[in-house]
Amino acid sequence: MKIITIFNYPDDENYNKLCLWWLNQTKKYAGDNPIHVWHEKDLPESLVVPGVIYTKKSRVVLPFAFPSDIDEKARHNIGFKLYNLCQEEEPYIFIDADAIPFHSFDQLIKASKDKPFICADHQQVPKHSALIPF
């Protein structure tokens, strides 16, 4: 099963370290599962590592206007992330680049055989998700 993430962060030292950490941890635990990194802009050379599949994707121009209170992050999540993930026809595991794996994906892959869709939310993070009602 393929593992997908998205690297659409600015070319910044700390963001690049985060992405490299994600890559190293995912490669450590992915086994034979291919790792796919999607991006909208060209990536810094430091984030291109052997054994990873990189794909440049586009953001869809949505056929409706967003309410004025919808921020750029939400627009990215809808127009880039959600749109492109919905185009996938093969099974996959999507892991945000700021969700660092610390063990094998075997249990998750096994569970996916019995479930049509699995997702895990995260805690409320100040200035990130605290404004979203749960």
Side-chain angles (χ1 to χ4, degrees), residues 50-122:
V52 175
I53 301 160
Y54 294 87
T55 306
K56 196 169 190 177
K57 300 264 184 182
S58 297
R59 187 184 304 209
V60 68
V61 176
L62 297 168
F64 58 86
F66 281 98
S68 60
D69 61 342
I70 301 295
D71 67 4
E72 177 55 30
K73 181 176 178 59
R75 294 169 195 254
H76 173 269
N77 284 341
I78 295 168
F80 184 88
K81 187 185 291 187
L82 185 61
Y83 172 78
N84 284 304
L85 287 170
C86 286
Q87 305 306 308
E88 283 297 299
E89 295 182 9
E90 296 177 29
Y92 65 89
I93 298 171
F94 174 79
I95 305 172
D96 262 330
D98 60 357
I100 308 300
F102 284 101
H103 56 80
S104 167
F105 300 105
D106 292 345
Q107 286 183 306
L108 186 57
I109 292 170
K110 183 179 177 195
S112 75
K113 306 293 183 204
D114 298 328
K115 308 287 181 198
F117 183 82
I118 299 172
C119 65
D121 201 2
H122 58 73

Side-chain angles (χ1 to χ4, degrees), residues 8-26:
N8 275 348
Y9 293 108
D11 185 2
D12 170 88
E13 181 181 0
N14 286 330
Y15 285 123
N16 291 345
K17 285 179 183 178
L18 172 69
C19 292
L20 284 173
W21 185 23
W22 187 95
L23 281 168
N24 289 330
Q25 287 296 107
T26 303

